[in-house]
Amino acid sequence: MEVPGLAHNITSPLSPCEGMIKDLSLDSIQLCERDDSKSQDGSMEELPVPQNIKISNITCDSFKICWDMEARSKERITHYFIDLNKKENKNSNKFKHKDVPTKLVAKAVPLPMTVRGHWFLSPRTEYTVAVQTASKQTDGDYTVSEWSEIIEFCTADYSTVHLTQLLEKAEVIAGRMLRFSVFYRNQHNEYFDHAREAQDNRMMPSVKDNSGSHGSPISGKLEGIFFSCNTEFNTGKPPQDSPYGRLRFEVRADALFNPDTNLYFGDFYCMYTAYHYVILVLAPRGSRGDDFCKQRLPALDIGNNRFLTCKQDEDGGLVFHHAQDVILEVIYTEPVDLALGTVAEISGHQLMSLSTVNAKKDPSCKTCNISVGR
């Protein structure tokens, strides 16, 4: 049975064969809750089976699909049935909406066609797809072909357009700016011993974990070192509690953040709490990390943005400010020598409940989600 009114995000792209754009009506492609049974007349063999299915132009919530067909009974085809399913694996997106039908009904239009819909496509997720051709009968039933072969594909990361939407949502709640003077990183004693003994006294970049938005282009790809810079409102100094370890490395802000550093927005998320996190990336100009971010992340003006700023004061010195109402996670993309700062024990507690290591984003939060796959 066709379900009306769910087709507003489906469009047909330019057909290379026809040289024209086919406009699809609102009911041209729909989520369908039908089963895989044959039509009543059992004439599946009368319609051509789609062959050589090709998936292209994949984004985080859309893809183009086309296929070849034999000429027999081609003129009888009125619809295409597209069976789209998430491929189950241990790394699959746990937040994809459940119980949403993934069999689509599309009116027969020139190929390729674009399938778009954030309610059934999530970023960075593997899917399988198969296609039937169908002919709608006067009684509303369908004559259908055999299913095609099954094709696998994986959706893409957020684009800079999607990240800009996240950035704009984060700006709304960033709050006023507070002055700070140091970046800091908490770890256990073993971490710093390893840096001294095996890494030439340097903290080395490592691949970012999968915390935050599922579609973030930096998760599992960007190499860097996490730092914090948030300060306590009443003291203007870093908090004495941390979820990451009792030893803290502190470094002057200008050692990592200065006019020779580029700043990028990386993500905005929460973990089923009132706290919201903004991930920023600091990359020395011309570095490998800088090249990575230029292609994938929105750049920020270091002297004029809502999250983290570096400005010159009247005396020519650098002054730094951070947003008060979000927790900033700052990734620095290059090695950092321990000689640039100090390592000391904090006086507070190790609050493991605040750790964001591999933390999954709350897909229901209206503050930090956008209308694409989570």
Side-chain angles (χ1 to χ4, degrees):
M1 177 181 294
E2 297 184 14
V3 182
L6 293 176
H8 53 281
N9 276 338
I10 304 302
T11 59
S12 178
L14 181 68
S15 169
C17 299
E18 301 295 333
M20 60 179 288
I21 295 178
K22 175 71 175 180
D23 293 326
L24 302 186
S25 62
L26 289 181
D27 62 347
S28 60
I29 189 166
Q30 303 164 338
L31 291 176
C32 176
E33 293 180 325
R34 60 176 186 81
D35 58 28
D36 294 339
S37 62
K38 298 181 180 180
S39 60
Q40 291 181 357
D41 63 7
S43 57
M44 294 177 67
E45 69 282 1
E46 293 184 4
L47 293 175
V49 179
Q51 305 286 341
N52 301 319
I53 296 175
K54 296 181 177 64
I55 305 293
S56 63
N57 294 76
I58 300 170
T59 73
C60 66
D61 63 350
S62 70
F63 61 91
K64 286 184 179 180
I65 184 169
C66 66
W67 55 84
D68 300 328
M69 288 184 293
E70 297 177 4
R72 59 186 175 87
S73 302
K74 193 172 180 179
E75 71 282 352
R76 293 180 53 226
I77 297 174
T78 62
H79 292 77
Y80 303 132
F81 291 171
I82 302 174
D83 187 13
L84 179 70
N85 291 284
K86 186 178 71 171
K87 184 179 178 182
E88 295 295 337
N89 60 68
K90 63 181 180 180
N91 296 319
S92 62
N93 180 6
K94 301 299 189 297
F95 295 119
K96 181 178 183 291
H97 296 299
K98 298 182 182 299
D99 302 321
V100 176
T102 52
K103 289 185 174 62
L104 310 173
V105 178
K107 285 186 177 179
V109 296
L111 299 176
M113 62 184 296
T114 296
V115 179
R116 184 187 310 278
H118 68 268
W119 59 89
F120 55 81
L121 285 172
S122 294
R124 279 198 180 192
T125 304
E126 293 183 320
Y127 290 92
T128 62
V129 63
V131 184
Q132 281 180 317
T133 58
S135 177
K136 192 170 185 178
Q137 309 301 302
T138 56
D139 61 0
D141 198 4
Y142 289 96
T143 298
V144 295
S145 72
E146 295 280 359
W147 283 105
S148 71
E149 63 178 329
I150 297 174
I151 299 297
E152 298 181 359
F153 71 98
C154 184
T155 47
D157 299 332
Y158 285 163
S159 68
T160 53
V161 172
H162 300 118
L163 288 172
T164 299
Q165 294 175 20
L166 275 179
L167 185 159
E168 292 170 350
K169 292 179 77 72
E171 288 176 333
V172 173
I173 69 162
R176 70 189 186 98
M177 304 293 281
L178 299 179
R179 189 163 177 169
F180 77 100
S181 59
V182 298
F183 289 102
Y184 55 93
R185 172 175 174 81
N186 277 68
Q187 278 290 346
H188 299 285
N189 188 54
E190 293 78 10
Y191 172 86
F192 293 108
D193 285 345
H194 182 73
R196 296 185 187 99
E197 298 167 7
Q199 297 176 169
D200 195 26
N201 205 48
R202 297 182 301 169
M203 297 184 293
M204 301 300 291
S206 59
V207 177
K208 183 192 172 298
D209 64 10
N210 290 315
S211 59
S213 299
H214 190 68
S216 172
I218 62 177
S219 293
K221 296 182 180 180
L222 177 67
E223 294 185 356
I225 306 171
F226 267 105
F227 284 92
S228 299
C229 64
N230 289 81
T231 56
E232 292 182 322
F233 175 76
N234 57 338
T235 65
K237 297 180 180 180
Q240 283 299 306
D241 299 320
S242 172
Y244 303 111
R246 294 195 56 79
L247 290 182
R248 173 173 292 171
F249 172 75
E250 287 191 4
V251 60
R252 282 178 38 168
D254 60 357
L256 307 184
F257 192 22
N258 53 64
D260 291 324
T261 310
N262 284 329
L263 177 65
Y264 298 92
F265 174 85
D267 201 3
F268 178 43
Y269 71 100
C270 70
M271 305 181 300
Y272 302 89
T273 68
Y275 301 110
H276 276 86
Y277 297 81
V278 170
I279 297 179
L280 303 175
V281 182
L282 287 175
R285 190 173 301 152
S287 65
R288 187 173 67 171
D290 191 33
D291 291 339
F292 177 95
C293 294
K294 279 181 180 178
Q295 302 174 40
R296 298 168 176 84
L297 305 180
L300 300 176
D301 183 341
I302 67 169
N304 183 25
N305 68 81
R306 297 296 307 277
F307 310 112
L308 188 71
T309 60
C310 169
K311 300 179 182 179
Q312 279 193 333
D313 61 17
E314 296 177 353
D315 299 326
L318 297 179
V319 179
F320 303 91
H321 291 83
H322 71 81
Q324 175 185 356
D325 294 341
V326 291
I327 299 175
L328 296 182
E329 297 182 312
V330 181
I331 301 176
Y332 187 73
T333 62
E334 303 304 304
V336 175
D337 196 318
L338 292 177
L340 292 175
T342 60
V343 177
E345 187 171 355
I346 60 174
S347 60
H349 302 285
Q350 186 172 341
L351 304 176
M352 296 301 295
S353 62
L354 296 181
S355 172
T356 61
V357 175
N358 286 314
K360 299 303 181 184
K361 181 174 183 175
D362 178 1
S364 65
C365 178
K366 295 181 179 179
T367 299
C368 62
N369 280 296
I370 57 178
S371 293
V372 295
R374 307 301 190 241

